[in-house]
Amino acid sequence: MADPVLSVRDLRVEFPTRRDLLVGLDGVSFDIHQGEVLGFVGESGAGKSITGAAIMQQIAAPGRIAGGEIRLNGQRIDKLSRTGMERIRGRHIGMVFQDPLTSLNPLMTIGDHLTETIGVHLGLGRRAARDRAVSLLEEVGIPEPAERLRSYPHEFSGGQRQRIVIALALCAEPELVIADEPTTALDVSVQAQIIALIRRLCDTHGTAFMLITHDMGMIAETADRVAVMYAGRVVEIGRVADIVAHPAHPYTQGLIAAIPSLETDAERLRQIPGAMPSLSAIPDGCVFHPRCELADDLCRTRRPVLAGEGDHRTACHRTAQAEYAP
Amino acid sequence: MIALVVRRLLQSLVVMLVVTLIAFIMFRYAGDPVNQMVGVETTEAERQALRESLGLDQPTLVQFVRYVGRVASLNFGVSFQFRRPVMELLAERLPATLELALVAAMLSLVSGILLGVYCALNPRGRISAALQAVSLVGVSLPTFLIGILLIYVFSVALGWLPSFGRSGLVPVTKHWSTGLLTLQGWKSLLLPAVTLGLFQMTLIMRLVRSEMLEVLRADFIRFGVARGLPQRRIYFRHALKNTLVPVITVVGLQLGSIIAFSIITETVFQWPGMGLLFLQSVQNVDVPIMSTYLLLIAFMFVMINMVVDLLYNAVDPRLKGSSRV
Ligand SMILES: Nc1ncnc2c1ncn2[C@@H]1O[C@H](COP(=O)(O)OP(=O)(O)OP(=O)(O)O)[C@@H](O)[C@H]1O
Ligand SMILES: [Mg+2]
């Protein structure tokens, strides 16, 4: 297989506080290949957004990347200077945030948004930048793009605004797009359209796509592979089809069982009891053991590592082997 | 936009009418105007004649309507103490106050914004912390104390700048002599302007700082960074503009209060402006000057308010065409 576009190894993010040191991400590893959609799921606070922010070096101080490496096309980017990172962001990695209204500068026309971003990355002149802005808007499905250049963000609907944000993220044709819950703030009716749009654009440009969401159903429909996060760690990663059909980690099993459309058996459609630990109270051993029915002494003391054959890897002492060694 | 201007003008008119009513009540009831104007040896008959000639025997409403008419035609009566038209007296003092206020306002605006932006961009820096601490002192020290301290340091101890008065004047028109064209004029202007502007400067600095820190946390800043925009552009194009929109309102009102509160500074520095005149008229119960000064200050606030509102509308596209009241 070709080298991955993005390769993350043992990523560790720390938030020093007055009292102690919170570990936001601990030993996170994954690859994303060209043209691939990697989904990230997990409940609120699992560390999905931090993972995206760490790749972009947008962790707010005093939070910091404390270990591991991030490689883009083989080059380390986790130690780049501010100006070095300015050449990566937007140019090589595009980012789409949750709320398209607050993502845009309310005092600037979307034409100015687009031409400034195009100008910074592609160094085009005014006319050429404008032409490119028009064709980008057309590509993301904004009607009458030439006229709409003069409009301000508040003059668009939520779905249209997210299309504009996507156009901005894709201005310079980055190799990777990170979308952090790109549809959560939108009307249910346009969510599928937005996801389909991102998917289509990534397909036509061969862009790798990291999709962060807590909607397992959306992952099942959109992603090629999925990483399940829990308390700052990746607990299971693999092909979506594999994981939906044979979830190995008890937490993933709970997530899958909670998708109404995939699981008709009402008996198994249930919530996992308990709550995810906060960063200040991460348990020893397996982070999931306080909520796990299968937990034993090993789970309470030794931390499991991601293991398994081929693509499908799970961090669980109890089920990882069982699933693959019948 | 035109509808907004018209509505604002009407509102301003109502405010001015109310202020005129207050000025009228002050004029009519703060002591007997006739007693103020005549000597002790004037007979009762003469007083009555004067009363009638001034229209003071008419019903109150008629008097008020006449008063409004006089105000509208800029006839503010004659000062008791100087026996000259109030209009003339104020016009003589206007240049001094306006020059002082404008220089103080520019000084506080420019330095307030610069320092505020600096503090917001270097929130953890030692200089920022020092500026914050000093600004707290600036906000809490009374103006006259700051003036006296400045006089002590720069006039008495160092002897660099004059301690009082306005000098180095060059006539520009018949009614306007400016101190802005000579070094001497600037020297005498500097201490009063700093004194008058210091409070506003610290206020603007603190406002700009907190406003900009807020903006820098906004999603569109994060998205700007994520798009790879250079830091300079993020700070000075995206963040600064969004910071200054809400600052406009406050700064506009501050300009009004600079003029209104120049009374204290003018007194400390014996600056021959309207504030000093007002204070003298209070000491001598010179009601025509007091009520006219009140009207003038109110008029200025109303005008500034209107300009600020229109400016706000012009700057923020979200308000265009909407009917913000
Ligand atoms: N600056 C910070 N200082 C301390 N803790 C932080 C900081 N930023 C994030 N965290 C913590 O890190 C954890 C993970 O946050 P993150 O935003 O990545 O969650 P998430 O998986 O994106 O959740 P959501 O689905 O709610 O967006 C949370 O417990 C959060 O409280
Ligand atoms: Mg998140």
Side-chain angles (χ1 to χ4, degrees):
Chain A
M1 200 186 279
D3 282 343
V5 173
L6 184 80
S7 174
V8 174
R9 286 292 168 273
D10 274 328
L11 184 61
R12 181 181 172 89
V13 169
E14 294 174 351
F15 299 109
T17 69
R18 223 171 299 157
R19 252 174 283 130
D20 52 0
L21 190 70
L22 303 181
V23 181
L25 292 182
D26 194 355
V28 169
S29 301
F30 60 90
D31 290 337
I32 307 183
H33 293 271
Q34 194 193 344
E36 178 185 58
V37 183
L38 174 61
F40 273 79
V41 279
E43 61 199 279
S44 194
K48 309 181 295 293
S49 297
I50 296 179
T51 308
I55 295 167
M56 297 296 273
Q57 275 196 39
Q58 279 194 278
I59 305 256
R64 62 194 171 92
I65 298 175
E69 13 176 291
I70 302 170
R71 286 175 189 274
L72 181 76
N73 297 319
Q75 303 283 328
R76 283 285 288 268
I77 59 167
D78 51 312
K79 293 259 193 289
L80 283 181
S81 67
R82 192 195 83 225
T83 47
M85 212 48 212
E86 278 171 2
R87 280 191 285 274
I88 300 287
R89 298 187 191 120
R91 184 81 187 87
H92 297 279
I93 309 177
M95 182 111 195
V96 175
F97 291 106
Q98 180 171 331
D99 188 346
L101 178 56
T102 56
S103 289
L104 298 169
N105 184 340
L107 302 185
M108 243 166 95
T109 65
I110 62 144
D112 286 344
H113 274 93
L114 282 160
T115 48
E116 97 167 322
T117 317
I118 292 166
V120 164
H121 291 302
L122 308 179
L124 296 178
R126 274 189 69 82
R127 274 209 68 83
R130 208 195 94 98
D131 290 346
R132 172 135 178 87
V134 172
S135 67
L136 271 166
L137 286 184
E138 202 163 5
E139 199 176 358
V140 297
I142 300 286
E144 300 180 357
E147 286 76 60
R148 297 315 301 269
L149 285 182
R150 276 193 303 273
S151 302
Y152 288 90
H154 72 279
E155 295 169 313
F156 293 87
S157 71
Q160 284 182 322
R161 276 196 289 264
Q162 195 62 304
R163 287 169 190 270
I164 293 163
V165 167
I166 290 165
L168 281 166
L170 294 175
C171 262
E173 305 209 346
E175 295 102 287
L176 171 70
V177 170
I178 303 174
D180 191 348
E181 306 197 30
T183 61
T184 310
L186 300 180
D187 224 55
V188 185
S189 56
V190 298
Q191 291 188 353
Q193 290 173 25
I194 293 296
I195 291 296
L197 172 70
I198 303 181
R199 177 89 229 217
R200 177 169 59 77
L201 292 173
C202 289
D203 281 349
T204 49
H205 298 280
T207 312
F209 179 23
M210 175 170 161
L211 175 63
I212 297 172
T213 171
H214 24 214
D215 183 350
M216 191 68 195
M218 181 183 291
I219 295 280
E221 283 163 29
T222 317
D224 301 307
R225 289 193 306 134
V226 59
V228 180
M229 291 199 72
Y230 187 83
R233 301 170 191 191
V234 173
V235 294
E236 183 161 7
I237 184 167
R239 311 235 116 239
V240 170
D242 273 353
I243 289 190
V244 170
H246 311 285
H249 198 283
Y251 178 67
T252 317
Q253 290 169 357
L255 279 185
I256 305 280
I259 308 172
S261 58
L262 290 181
E263 187 54 68
T264 43
D265 187 353
E267 190 94 343
R268 288 191 52 196
L269 203 161
R270 65 203 155 100
Q271 294 283 312
I272 311 165
M276 195 173 68
S278 78
L279 295 188
S280 51
I282 298 285
D284 285 342
C286 171
V287 276
F288 189 62
H289 85 251
R291 295 170 79 182
C292 184
E293 289 171 358
L294 308 175
D296 61 12
D297 278 347
L298 183 63
C299 301
R300 281 185 273 272
T301 50
R302 266 259 302 281
R303 180 178 165 179
V305 293
L306 269 182
E309 285 164 21
D311 263 355
H312 192 161
R313 297 160 150 269
T314 312
C316 178
H317 294 304
R318 302 298 313 275
T319 59
Q321 304 311 314
E323 194 65 30
Y324 279 88
Chain B
M1 193 71 177
I2 290 174
L4 181 79
V5 174
V6 169
R7 199 171 53 236
R8 275 278 171 257
L9 277 174
L10 285 178
Q11 283 172 354
S12 309
L13 215 61
V14 172
V15 173
M16 282 316 294
L17 261 179
V18 172
V19 176
T20 308
L21 179 63
I22 296 171
F24 169 71
I25 293 171
M26 207 163 107
F27 185 76
R28 185 65 190 75
Y29 298 104
D32 184 350
V34 172
N35 277 346
Q36 301 278 352
M37 295 166 92
V38 298
V40 266
E41 68 281 7
T42 317
T43 66
E44 190 49 41
E46 281 169 328
R47 284 168 194 257
Q48 190 56 35
L50 187 57
R51 199 160 274 139
E52 273 163 35
S53 79
L54 288 174
L56 294 176
D57 55 339
Q58 302 280 326
T60 313
L61 188 66
V62 174
Q63 287 188 38
F64 178 59
V65 171
R66 284 187 180 170
Y67 184 80
V68 171
R70 284 205 302 277
V71 167
S73 60
L74 299 185
N75 173 10
F76 298 103
V78 174
S79 153
F80 296 155
Q81 45 177 339
F82 299 103
R83 313 225 168 255
R84 287 174 56 200
V86 173
M87 205 37 199
E88 229 177 84
L89 287 167
L90 282 175
E92 273 171 16
R93 303 296 193 106
L94 189 70
T97 295
L98 271 189
E99 281 179 8
L100 173 62
L102 281 181
V103 170
M106 289 313 294
L107 215 71
S108 59
L109 197 62
V110 171
S111 49
I113 289 178
L114 286 180
L115 293 177
V117 168
Y118 178 85
C119 287
L121 296 184
N122 305 283
R124 278 176 249 278
R126 231 180 276 158
I127 298 178
S128 301
L131 280 171
Q132 279 291 102
V134 170
S135 78
L136 215 82
V137 176
V139 169
S140 46
L141 269 190
T143 306
F144 71 88
L145 202 61
I146 293 174
I148 290 168
L149 280 176
L150 286 178
I151 290 177
Y152 180 76
V153 174
F154 292 101
S155 305
V156 179
L158 296 172
W160 291 351
L161 297 167
S163 62
F164 71 92
R166 187 168 179 243
S167 53
L169 298 183
V170 178
V172 181
T173 69
K174 206 164 104 229
H175 298 290
W176 195 293
S177 293
T178 181
L180 301 180
L181 295 177
T182 60
L183 183 65
Q184 183 58 33
W186 276 99
K187 272 185 167 174
S188 56
L189 184 60
L190 197 58
L191 284 187
V194 169
T195 306
L196 184 56
L198 198 68
F199 177 79
Q200 317 295 337
M201 185 205 86
T202 51
L203 213 75
I204 292 171
M205 178 193 124
R206 298 177 75 86
L207 180 75
V208 166
R209 172 186 172 274
S210 65
E211 204 59 59
M212 188 152 184
L213 281 174
E214 186 79 32
V215 169
L216 285 174
R217 277 194 293 271
D219 278 352
F220 67 83
I221 296 297
R222 211 154 49 102
F223 185 49
V225 173
R227 267 184 288 151
L229 302 184
Q231 192 175 52
R232 278 243 313 266
R233 208 184 185 88
I234 302 251
Y235 285 168
F236 297 111
R237 200 177 146 137
H238 291 260
L240 188 59
K241 205 170 164 197
N242 277 275
T243 303
L244 292 184
V245 168
V247 169
I248 288 176
T249 320
V250 179
V251 167
L253 294 179
Q254 293 307 320
L255 287 189
S257 53
I258 278 189
I259 296 181
F261 296 129
S262 66
I263 297 173
I264 298 167
T265 309
E266 288 184 7
T267 309
V268 172
F269 289 93
Q270 288 299 298
W271 188 259
M274 294 189 303
L276 199 60
L277 180 69
F278 174 75
L279 214 72
Q280 286 169 4
S281 69
V282 170
Q283 281 157 358
N284 298 315
V285 202
D286 195 342
V287 178
I289 292 184
M290 285 160 68
S291 53
T292 308
Y293 186 76
L294 176 72
L295 282 167
L296 197 74
I297 295 295
F299 179 71
M300 228 138 48
F301 266 97
V302 165
M303 289 312 286
I304 289 173
N305 233 320
M306 196 164 82
V307 170
V308 162
D309 239 50
L310 297 180
L311 215 62
Y312 212 98
N313 254 269
V315 178
D316 194 333
R318 284 165 296 187
L319 298 177
K320 273 207 190 97
S322 73
S323 53
R324 207 177 74 101
V325 181

